[in-house]
């Protein structure tokens, strides 16, 4: 090469040295990766299990050894909760029936909130005047205490299934609107330019650019709303007392009759249900956008 | 007479229409900022020109106007061909689409039948050397590879006019030079008309046969430097005296005509 006054020394045997141990090196790296992945899995699983055992153990000890017999109803020991709340066939049937009823309300509410909320967000994303016109109402929906509206809802729609679903929708719709709108609006300028260059139609733009681009935040909205919808269904149970009893009404009844073991069982079941819904939506997110978006990927990897 | 006016009056020996013509094109943004003061230029078919200038000199605006992404406040723009290629500063890949689905995006939107689309995508993949990465997602690729995908996508439109908006600006020097060589190889095969916007003097000289120097606020062409070296060019060109002379000329023009003092 004609340029430069410096001397370039070329190491001819560098490649050979590198090639020599490449296979061994690969094997070692792979082995290291295996153990560390396994170790991480154990650690990820072991830590929450340990905390759970400690908490339950302390709870058991507190209920049986520190609380006086007469006050044990305040915090029944876990063994009682399992034996009476879940072990007894009649109690168990009652609880499962309740959670089924509540989940029907919650899922119906979530479904309506998703459909309505997505359509509203889509409309808002298409015209700035629509966004300006609707957004204050969405915020208003979020800030009004739903409980204050309960009498009005019952006055208009009665005390049955429909009113419960309506409460869920009102509680769960806001995160769907805001997250979907944010997702739809977060298309970058260069991507918009790209579609303009391709002379893409309005429909193509929505289908091939805006909607897929919005999916990570849309799904985040669904996940938040799913949890809120479960809360809404349980709250609704307290106030709308027609039809089959949901878990909320059972909790209320157990409190009033001081059946604390069953109350605790109900609380655990309701929490478990909320957790399951959250988990299902996490899986959904991972399945739909995990391939390409980081929010959908498992944490602790990479 | 300004340099810009001389450019448009250069006698054209070619009878076919030019690839791109600007006639006193001016762009004033809302708020009164003059992004581009009346500019005239002609890019012939099969000609590769570069535009250099400091940030904010309106070179991207010029390119956006040429592509129809922006409308001029006054003046005329004429494109000699319908098929236009545009490469953005970032690769603008859709992260949920595989490499081949990204490359086929334009064809898909233009409703090109599936089989024809697959053939064209495969040809672009071969031309850019992306074999083996067809199913990969953009997030698994390096910056240089993503830019290759972006180039391949633009190629599927078989452009006669290829506009580049600082496409290699975010890449490291080594990748940048490699992609520059690939671009020249592509130019040798496809013979499109190219307009390459950059703020790298070295890149502008290496790629183009003519470098236009722009000054900021209001953006205008203040100098033109010819790079007479014939194509095809190879990496050795970087060490030639012609190259050094052109780089010196462009740098000089940037410093004395496009700099803050020169603008006065």
């Amino acid at each position: 090469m004609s340029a430069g006054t410096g001397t370039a020394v070329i190491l001819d045997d560098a490649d050979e040295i590198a090639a020599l141990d490449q296979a061994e090196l690969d094997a070692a790296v792979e082995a290291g990766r295996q153990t560390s992945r396994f170790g991480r899995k154990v650690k990820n699983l072991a830590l929450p299990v340990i905390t759970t055992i400690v908490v339950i153990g302390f709870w058991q000890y507190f209920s049986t050894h520190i609380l006086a017999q007469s006050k044990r109803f305040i915090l029944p020991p876990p063994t009682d909760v399992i034996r009476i709340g879940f072990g007894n066939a009649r109690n168990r049937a009652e609880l499962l029936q309740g959670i089924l009823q509540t989940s029907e309300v919650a899922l119906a509410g979530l479904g309506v909130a998703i459909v309505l909320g997505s359509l509203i967000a889509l409309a808002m994303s298409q015209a700035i005047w629509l966004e300006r016109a609707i957004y204050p109402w969405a915020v208003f929906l979020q800030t009004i205490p739903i409980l204050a509206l309960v009498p009005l809802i019952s006055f208009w729609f009665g005390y049955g299934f429909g009113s419960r679903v309506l409460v869920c929708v009102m509680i769960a719709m806001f995160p769907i609107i805001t997250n979907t709108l944010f997702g739809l609006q977060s298309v970058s300028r260069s991507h918009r330019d790209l579609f303009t260059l391709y002379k893409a139609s309005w429909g193509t733009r929505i289908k091939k650019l805006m909607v897929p681009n919005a999916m990570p935040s849309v799904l985040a909205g669904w996940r938040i709303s799913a949890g809120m919808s479960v809360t809404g269904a349980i709250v609704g149970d307290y106030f709308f007392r027609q039809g089959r009893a949901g878990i909320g009404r059972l909790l209320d009844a157990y409190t009033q009759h001081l059946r604390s073991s069953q109350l605790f069982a109900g609380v655990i079941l309701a929490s478990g249900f909320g957790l399951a819904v959250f988990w299902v939506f996490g899986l959904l997110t991972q399945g739909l956008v995990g391939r390409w978006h980081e929010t959908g990927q498992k944490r602790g990897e990479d | 007479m300004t340099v810009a006016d001389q450019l448009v009056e250069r006698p054209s020996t070619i009878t076919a229409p030019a690839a791109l013509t600007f006639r006193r094109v001016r762009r004033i943004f809302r708020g009164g900022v003059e992004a581009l003061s009346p500019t005239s230029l002609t890019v012939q078919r099969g000609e590769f020109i570069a535009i250099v200038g400091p940030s904010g000199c309106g070179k991207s605006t010029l390119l956006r106007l040429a592509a129809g992404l922006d409308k001029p406040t006054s003046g005329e723009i004429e494109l000699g061909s319908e098929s236009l290629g545009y490469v953005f500063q970032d690769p603008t890949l859709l992260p949920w689409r595989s490499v081949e689905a990204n490359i086929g995006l334009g064809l898909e939107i233009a409703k090109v039948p599936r089989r024809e689309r697959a053939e064209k995508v495969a040809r672009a993949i071969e031309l850019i050397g992306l074999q083996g990465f067809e199913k990969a997602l953009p997030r698994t690729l390096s910056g240089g590879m993503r830019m290759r995908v972006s180039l391949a996508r633009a190629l599927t439109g078989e452009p006669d006019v290829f506009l580049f908006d600082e496409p290699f600006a975010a890449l490291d020097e080594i990748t940048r030079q490699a992609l520059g060589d690939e671009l020249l190889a592509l130019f040798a095969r496809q013979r499109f008309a190219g307009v390459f916007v950059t703020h790298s003097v070295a890149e502008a000289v290496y790629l183009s046969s003519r470098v236009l120097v722009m000054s900021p606020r209001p953006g205008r062409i203040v100098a033109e430097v010819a790079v007479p070296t014939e194509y095809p060019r190879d990496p050795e060109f970087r060490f030639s005296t012609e190259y050094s002379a052109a780089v010196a000329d462009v740098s000089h023009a940037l410093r004395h005509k496009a700099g803050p003092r020169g603008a006065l």
Side-chain angles (χ1 to χ4, degrees):
Chain A
M1 214 162 264
S2 59
T5 50
T7 317
V9 180
I10 297 177
L11 296 169
D12 280 328
D13 51 354
D15 285 348
E16 282 172 48
I17 294 168
L20 203 64
D21 297 326
Q22 195 55 48
E24 279 175 53
L25 193 66
D26 283 348
V29 165
E30 186 50 35
R33 200 176 285 150
Q34 293 281 340
T35 36
S36 70
R37 199 181 296 154
F38 179 73
R40 216 159 35 206
K41 262 191 183 151
V42 167
K43 223 183 283 172
N44 284 348
L45 208 72
L47 290 175
V49 167
I50 290 169
T51 44
T52 309
I53 290 171
V54 169
V55 167
I56 290 179
F58 182 72
W59 172 10
Q60 179 78 27
Y61 176 79
F62 188 84
S63 304
T64 52
H65 289 83
I66 296 179
L67 275 182
Q69 182 76 38
S70 59
K71 286 187 178 161
R72 197 163 289 168
F73 70 92
I74 294 173
L75 187 68
T79 43
D80 280 8
V81 172
I82 291 165
R83 189 169 47 81
I84 300 167
F86 297 117
N88 180 302
R90 210 174 53 87
N91 291 349
R92 188 173 60 225
E94 192 176 60
L95 273 178
L96 289 179
Q97 187 63 46
I99 202 79
L100 187 71
Q101 160 72 10
T102 303
S103 60
E104 274 172 26
V105 172
L107 289 180
L110 181 63
V112 173
I114 285 175
V115 172
L116 262 181
S118 304
L119 287 176
I120 290 172
L122 190 63
M124 283 163 84
S125 75
Q126 292 307 302
I128 190 86
W129 65 269
L130 266 174
E131 186 186 338
R132 293 219 178 103
I134 299 173
Y135 202 80
W137 283 93
V139 174
F140 179 60
L141 184 72
Q142 178 69 3
T143 49
I144 43 168
I146 297 293
L147 295 189
L149 280 187
V150 163
L152 199 61
I153 293 172
S154 58
F155 185 60
W156 283 342
F157 304 103
Y159 294 86
F161 187 76
S163 293
R164 298 180 194 205
V165 171
L166 186 63
V167 167
C168 287
V169 173
M170 291 180 78
I171 290 183
M173 199 155 76
F174 185 73
I176 290 178
I177 294 177
T178 48
N179 279 278
T180 307
L181 185 62
F182 173 77
L184 290 171
Q185 287 177 336
S186 67
V187 174
S188 72
R189 174 175 149 161
S190 52
H191 277 132
R192 280 204 302 267
D193 283 346
L194 181 71
F195 275 68
T196 306
L197 282 173
Y198 287 144
K199 300 181 177 70
S201 67
W202 181 77
T204 305
R205 214 175 257 268
I206 289 184
K207 199 174 96 191
K208 292 195 196 289
L209 178 63
M210 292 179 73
V211 169
N213 184 72
M215 276 325 275
S217 70
V218 166
L219 288 167
W222 289 13
R223 184 138 64 146
I224 298 167
S225 291
M228 295 176 97
S229 190
V230 171
T231 309
I234 294 173
V235 168
D237 271 346
Y238 276 87
F239 295 96
F240 304 105
R241 290 162 174 276
Q242 264 175 19
R244 285 180 293 143
I247 193 87
R249 206 158 111 204
L250 290 177
L251 294 180
D252 191 29
Y254 295 150
T255 316
Q256 292 189 6
H257 298 113
L258 294 181
R259 282 148 67 179
S260 59
S261 292
Q262 277 172 278
L263 176 64
F264 269 80
V267 169
I268 290 168
L269 195 63
S271 318
F273 177 63
L275 216 67
V277 167
F278 192 75
W279 180 72
V280 164
F281 276 89
L283 280 185
L284 188 71
T285 306
Q286 206 186 313
L288 287 177
V289 301
R291 242 167 16 98
W292 63 273
H293 196 269
E294 54 223 0
T295 59
Q297 279 147 31
K298 282 188 211 152
R299 278 205 291 168
E301 286 195 3
D302 260 0
Chain B
M1 205 186 233
T2 66
V3 177
D5 286 330
Q6 286 165 13
L7 296 180
V8 76
E9 272 151 36
R10 169 204 301 260
S12 173
T13 50
I14 305 160
T15 43
L20 174 67
T21 312
F22 271 47
R23 285 191 206 93
R24 298 197 62 76
V25 173
R26 188 178 195 203
R27 177 72 173 107
I28 299 169
F29 287 148
R30 248 195 313 189
V33 176
E34 189 174 21
L36 193 67
S37 67
T39 296
S40 300
L41 65 90
T42 307
V43 183
Q44 300 299 346
R45 286 162 175 262
E47 186 186 23
F48 202 115
I49 72 154
I51 299 176
V52 282
S55 306
C57 71
K59 52 194 195 298
S60 287
T61 302
L62 193 149
L63 218 57
R64 291 176 60 80
L65 287 166
L69 288 172
D70 195 4
K71 295 269 165 287
T73 310
S74 64
E76 268 177 64
I77 298 166
E78 217 172 89
L79 266 172
S81 166
E82 280 285 292
S83 56
L84 183 83
Y86 196 102
V87 182
F88 294 88
Q89 184 167 359
D90 68 308
T92 57
L93 304 179
L94 301 179
W96 54 88
R97 281 175 172 249
S98 67
V99 164
E100 60 182 2
N102 262 297
I103 295 174
L105 178 70
L107 301 170
E108 199 180 304
I109 292 174
K111 300 208 163 52
V112 172
R114 189 177 295 269
R115 180 172 297 178
E116 194 185 333
R117 207 197 304 159
E119 279 169 16
K120 287 187 171 176
V121 168
R123 207 177 310 146
I125 284 174
E126 202 193 309
L127 219 48
I128 300 290
L130 284 166
Q131 295 98 323
F133 293 92
E134 289 89 344
K135 308 285 180 213
L137 285 170
R139 60 181 281 270
T140 64
L141 303 177
S142 66
M145 287 298 277
R146 284 181 209 175
M147 194 38 86
R148 281 196 177 89
V149 177
S150 190
L151 275 173
R153 181 181 62 193
L155 274 177
T156 58
E158 288 157 14
D160 292 323
V161 184
F162 221 139
L163 308 174
F164 303 89
D165 188 5
E166 302 183 42
F168 308 150
L171 303 175
D172 63 89
E173 187 59 28
I174 295 166
T175 311
R176 192 177 182 144
Q177 289 189 4
L179 280 175
D181 285 328
E182 283 180 35
L183 190 55
L184 281 184
L186 216 58
F187 176 61
R189 289 178 68 159
Q190 313 284 99
R191 279 289 157 178
F192 41 77
V195 179
F196 195 100
V197 164
T198 175
H199 44 229
S200 159
V201 175
E203 194 171 62
V205 169
Y206 188 66
L207 295 174
S208 71
S209 60
R210 197 146 63 91
V211 181
L212 305 182
V213 180
M214 287 185 75
S215 82
R217 252 158 267 135
R220 64 198 191 285
I221 296 170
V222 290
E224 179 184 334
V225 175
V227 187
T229 311
E230 290 294 318
Y231 296 96
R233 294 171 180 173
D234 58 50
E236 287 294 311
F237 173 50
R238 287 204 174 87
F239 309 111
S240 68
T241 47
E242 281 163 323
Y243 176 82
S244 312
V247 167
D249 285 352
V250 174
S251 302
H252 186 269
L254 265 176
R255 200 155 149 169
H256 295 282
K257 293 185 176 164
R261 247 164 294 153
L264 290 175

